[in-house]
Each structure stands twice: as structure tokens, then as C-alpha cells.
Amino acid sequence: MTTLSSSTRGNKPLAKKFAPVVKAAMEHYAQLTDDLNKITENPGLASLRETAKQQFLMQGFPTRRDEDWGYTKLTDFIQKPFRLEAGTHVTHNDIEAYLPDYPAVRIVMVDGWFSESLSDDLSGLPKGVTIESVCDVLETPELTDRVAHHEKQIEDEPFGVLNTMLLNDGYYLQVSRNVSMEMPIFVLHVQAQDHQVSNVRNRVLLEENAELTLVESFVSLNASESEFSGFTNVVTEIEVGQAARCKQVVLQALAPRSYYFNNQFIEQAENSVLNTLYAGIGGQTSRHQNHLKMNGKNIESSQNSACYAEDSQIMDSRTYTEHNELNGVSRQLHKYVLSGQAVGVFDGMIKVAQAAQKTDGQMDNKNLLLSGSAQMDTKPKLEIYADDVKCSHGSATGQINRDQIFYLQARGIRKPQAIRMITEAFLLEPLETVSQPAIRDWLAGALSQKLNG
């Protein structure tokens, strides 16, 4: 069994002191790494996991003393030892209700494992489009670099390090040069087993002048069971090549007692376009982060989110956007609706390098509180080193205007319905950036259903 003492050999002290419950949790996940390495035949993969494990044992889980985690407490999560087992049997009937009502190429992940039987036949994809299971890729040691050893920032994120420790499956998606994938790729991530880790590592590569629409949905099959709890930990690396166009939608609708951590590392090349939207409505504690590098001239990016939290949910959404070259344009709109004792967290940074003259960056965060007990913690930031830029950021938090309710009541609309109408109109605004009507309607339906109970 791996213990914390393994990281102190050679008289190297631990970087931190950990409470007994935290030590136990760290040792549990370190043991899962050891168990994976016992059965792997890829020495490079085993070494990668072991290196990540040693780093994890040094830094541990973040606490509220860490600035970036001051409002996102992990106390309940750390007390639950989640297992890492092969996916259970799931049928087409089990997932039918979670599939989209528009044409798409379907990929299904069950408890973090690629399901060939539930996914579409990928042999019929258009020429120039490749989708592979990460587990299959890792069976060939020479191909390990396809899904690992890329973005160094992964090492700076505690759950990114944990993801590397448990690296085993996910999907690899590549769209070749000048290929436009007209039909959306729909990835359904299913939590099927109670107290199970869904550890997913993805890599998406769009070559020059390629085009892709990617939709991801995270759901729990047993969401109606009050005690059901799962742990989803995702790292996705997206590379948008020169003049490529990437559209992405992520819907997180997990069971109320589940946990979701998703780190997306995105790089854009010259003249490329990115449009990504995150919709969060599930989970006990969730944290969705975009780390975006705009590494070429004339890049456009749009990052938006629509989050609804109730009861004691913690809903955390973050963006870190680097403008590194001339004429970059970025737009962000993040909206939260909070009820009960829910906690919302937004943290956004627009960083403009000295070489990024003529940058145009805008970030806006607006929040609606439906109860006096709900709490919103927001921190939009700018860090600018260029002198010819147009950047702005702002945040506003408040309750529903009584005049708006009165206006609707005066037209014969009951007060509860008036509140729902106002709330829905407020929350659905970021969805206007989704250009495909079918996807936008599907997403709006999921949010509206949650709002209306």
C-alpha cells in the first residue's frame, strides 16, 4: 500500500502538513495508481502515472487556505473514497433519454470507460476524421504522446495531477487539414455505479482550416436515488489549428450528490475561431475551468456559461484567457441563478501580453439570487502589458426587480410563473451564442426543465 511516507524518502520533507482524513484520501488515490500500474504493459504510461503520484503526495488536495479554492470547499468530497473499476453493464434503453434529438455521431463513456457497444460505428466517419479510445491508443507505447506530455499547466492543477495519476481512458479526436465535420460529435459521459471515479483524459486536434462541433453531456443514471454519488474528473486538451473553427457545448447534469472537476486546456493558432459554452445544473460540488491560450494573430474566442444551483450546491466556473498576439478578440458572458443555500463562484482572468496590441477583450458576469441565503463569489480580472487595447470586465449580482414581477402580474400572470419567466429569460441569454438551432434548443430544454422543477 502506498503511504505518504513514500514521498519523504531521502530525508525530503512533505511540502504540507495534512489532516488525517486528507492523508487517508491521498493514500487511497495513490493506491489506485499503484493498482493501475500493476496491470499496465506500457512502461511510459506507468512512469507518467508514478511521477504524477509523487507530485500529488507532495501537494495534496487544495484547501480553503489556497487562494483559488477559498470558496469551493472539498470537505465532503475528501471524506468519500471513490473506487476505480471497469464500467458496469449499461444498455441502449438506459441512455436513450439522455441522447440528443438531432443528428450526431455518438460516443459513450460509462464510468470513464469508452463503450464501443453504445457508441456509433466509428469506421464510417468521413475521411480525415479520426476518433479513438485513449485506452486503445495507450496499448501502443509509441503512441502515448498522443494523449499525454502536452500541456504543462496540467501539473499546476491538483485535479489535473490526479487525472494523470489515474490516466486510463477517454477519447482522441482528430480532424485533418481542410476537413469540415458537418455532423456534430456528441459525447455522453454516464455515471452508472455508485461511488465510482470517472477519470477521463481527452485530446482534440483540429488541423489547419478544419471545422468541428463538439457536444459533451455528463449525466448520472441513478440521479433519482438520493444517496447516489459519483466523481467525474476530466482533462481535455484542445488544439485549434490555423484558420480552424471549433464550436463546443458542455452540459453538466450529474446527480445532486456527485462531484465534477473539468480542466480544459485550449490553444488557438492564427486566424482560428473558438466558441465554447458551459451549462452547469447538477452535482454537489462542481468546477469547470477553461485555460485558453490565443497564440496567433487575428484570433477570435467566445467563452460563456449558464449555471443554476439550488439547495447547498457549489457551482464554480472559471476562465483564464491569454492574448499573446496582435488583433485578438475575446468575448465572455457568464450567468448564474442561485436559490436556497447555493454557492456560486466565478473567477475570470484576461491576460494581455506586451506583443498583443489591438486586443479587444470583454468579460461580463451577471448573477441572480432567488433567496437571501444564496451566495455569489465573483472575481473578474484584467492583467494588461500592452498599451493599445480595448478591454473591459464587470460583474453584477442582485435579486429580481419587483417592478418586473408587477408588470407581468398586471397582465394576468401569476407571481410564481412570472418569477420563472424572468429567471429563464435571464439564464438562457448565453445560449444565444450557440449558432446551431437544434443544439441550442436541446440545451435550452435541459436548463428550462431544471428551472421549472
Side-chain angles (χ1 to χ4, degrees):
M1 177 178 178
T2 299
T3 65
L4 290 179
S5 62
S6 64
S7 64
T8 63
R9 292 173 184 171
N11 297 319
K12 294 181 180 180
L14 284 170
K16 296 180 181 179
K17 292 184 178 180
F18 303 106
V21 65
V22 178
K23 288 182 182 179
M26 291 166 61
E27 291 177 353
H28 170 73
Y29 290 106
Q31 185 62 49
L32 295 183
T33 301
D34 293 343
D35 294 341
L36 283 173
N37 279 344
K38 288 176 183 177
I39 59 175
T40 188
E41 297 180 0
N42 184 339
L45 174 59
S47 177
L48 183 69
R49 289 175 181 152
E50 181 63 25
T51 300
K53 184 187 78 173
Q54 295 303 324
Q55 180 180 349
F56 177 74
L57 291 174
M58 290 291 290
Q59 71 180 33
F61 285 108
T63 69
R64 301 188 75 171
R65 291 191 295 272
D66 296 295
E67 183 177 355
D68 285 343
W69 293 84
Y71 302 106
T72 308
K73 64 179 181 179
L74 300 175
T75 307
D76 293 338
F77 165 77
I78 288 173
Q79 295 175 352
K80 297 180 179 179
F82 292 91
R83 304 183 302 271
L84 182 62
E85 300 174 354
T88 187
H89 179 66
V90 174
T91 68
H92 284 276
N93 289 337
D94 293 329
I95 65 172
E96 186 174 2
Y98 304 102
L99 297 177
D101 54 5
Y102 53 85
V105 176
R106 182 176 72 241
I107 301 172
V108 179
M109 309 288 300
V110 178
D111 293 330
W113 301 81
F114 186 92
S115 173
E116 184 175 357
S117 63
L118 297 177
S119 301
D120 284 341
D121 181 3
L122 302 179
S123 63
L125 290 172
K127 184 178 180 180
V129 180
T130 300
I131 303 176
E132 297 178 78
S133 160
V134 163
C135 187
D136 290 344
V137 172
L138 293 174
E139 288 181 356
T140 306
E142 294 78 17
L143 299 181
T144 300
D145 282 348
R146 277 194 183 184
V147 293
H149 302 300
H150 293 285
E151 179 52 65
K152 292 296 184 183
Q153 281 186 316
I154 296 174
E155 301 173 0
D156 298 330
E157 291 293 336
F159 283 89
V161 175
L162 182 59
N163 182 277
T164 302
M165 284 172 55
L166 305 179
L167 174 59
N168 197 65
D169 210 352
Y171 62 85
Y172 174 82
L173 169 58
Q174 181 173 353
V175 184
S176 298
R177 180 180 179 182
N178 296 326
V179 173
S180 177
M181 181 61 190
E182 296 182 1
M183 187 176 291
I185 304 292
F186 181 85
V187 186
L188 181 64
H189 299 266
V190 178
Q191 283 185 346
Q193 298 181 84
D194 192 18
H195 282 81
Q196 169 78 5
V197 180
S198 297
N199 193 78
V200 182
R201 185 65 157 260
N202 310 312
R203 180 159 171 77
V204 180
L205 175 60
L206 277 70
E207 296 183 355
E208 181 180 352
N209 199 37
E211 185 170 1
L212 172 70
T213 298
L214 177 64
V215 181
E216 300 199 63
S217 180
F218 295 83
V219 302
S220 303
L221 292 187
N222 302 293
S224 59
E225 298 180 11
S226 60
E227 297 303 318
F228 179 87
S229 180
F231 166 31
T232 295
N233 188 26
V234 184
V235 168
T236 300
E237 296 180 85
I238 302 176
E239 184 176 340
V240 187
Q242 183 175 342
R245 299 163 299 282
C246 180
K247 300 173 184 177
Q248 183 198 35
V249 169
V250 179
L251 171 63
Q252 186 272 111
L254 295 169
R257 291 185 179 273
S258 290
Y259 300 87
Y260 166 90
F261 302 94
N262 191 342
N263 280 280
Q264 298 199 136
F265 299 89
I266 310 168
E267 290 192 17
Q268 287 185 258
E270 183 173 324
N271 295 314
S272 64
V273 178
L274 168 75
N275 187 313
T276 180
L277 182 140
Y278 168 65
I281 56 177
Q284 176 63 44
T285 301
S286 62
R287 183 179 176 114
H288 186 91
Q289 298 191 97
N290 288 338
H291 309 258
L292 173 61
K293 293 181 179 180
M294 301 171 67
N295 286 337
K297 300 177 183 178
N298 306 312
I299 290 176
E300 296 181 17
S301 72
S302 173
Q303 302 174 83
N304 306 286
S305 60
C307 298
Y308 172 70
E310 59 187 353
D311 300 328
S312 59
Q313 283 182 282
I314 299 175
M315 190 75 65
D316 187 334
S317 177
R318 295 169 181 250
T319 61
Y320 188 95
T321 307
E322 296 182 18
H323 284 263
N324 293 322
E325 294 288 347
L326 287 168
N327 298 317
V329 177
S330 65
R331 296 288 183 267
Q332 298 185 46
L333 175 60
H334 306 276
K335 285 198 162 186
Y336 287 71
V337 173
L338 306 174
S339 66
Q341 296 180 315
V343 175
V345 182
F346 171 72
D347 191 301
M349 165 69 84
I350 296 178
K351 184 176 181 180
V352 182
Q354 187 173 1
Q357 304 293 340
K358 305 294 184 180
T359 287
D360 182 355
Q362 297 180 21
M363 176 169 53
D364 197 8
N365 169 230
K366 296 180 179 179
N367 313 297
L368 185 61
L369 305 183
L370 301 182
S371 76
S373 301
Q375 175 182 321
M376 183 69 204
D377 299 290
T378 177
K379 188 163 60 173
K381 297 167 288 186
L382 298 175
E383 188 175 326
I384 301 173
Y385 297 95
D387 53 18
D388 185 7
V389 303
K390 183 171 64 174
C391 293
S392 66
H393 67 301
S395 179
T397 300
Q399 298 180 327
I400 294 179
N401 190 316
R402 293 182 179 179
D403 291 341
Q404 291 178 322
I405 299 176
F406 176 78
Y407 177 86
L408 294 175
Q409 286 184 290
R411 282 147 182 80
I413 299 174
R414 295 177 180 272
K415 185 176 181 179
Q417 184 181 358
I419 292 174
R420 286 196 298 270
M421 291 174 62
I422 295 168
T423 302
E424 188 169 313
F426 174 87
L427 185 61
L428 297 186
E429 183 184 358
L431 275 61
E432 296 174 5
T433 62
V434 179
S435 59
Q436 301 94 324
I439 298 176
R440 184 171 61 247
D441 292 345
W442 167 79
L443 190 60
L447 292 176
S448 299
Q449 183 178 6
K450 183 69 175 180
L451 284 171
N452 295 320

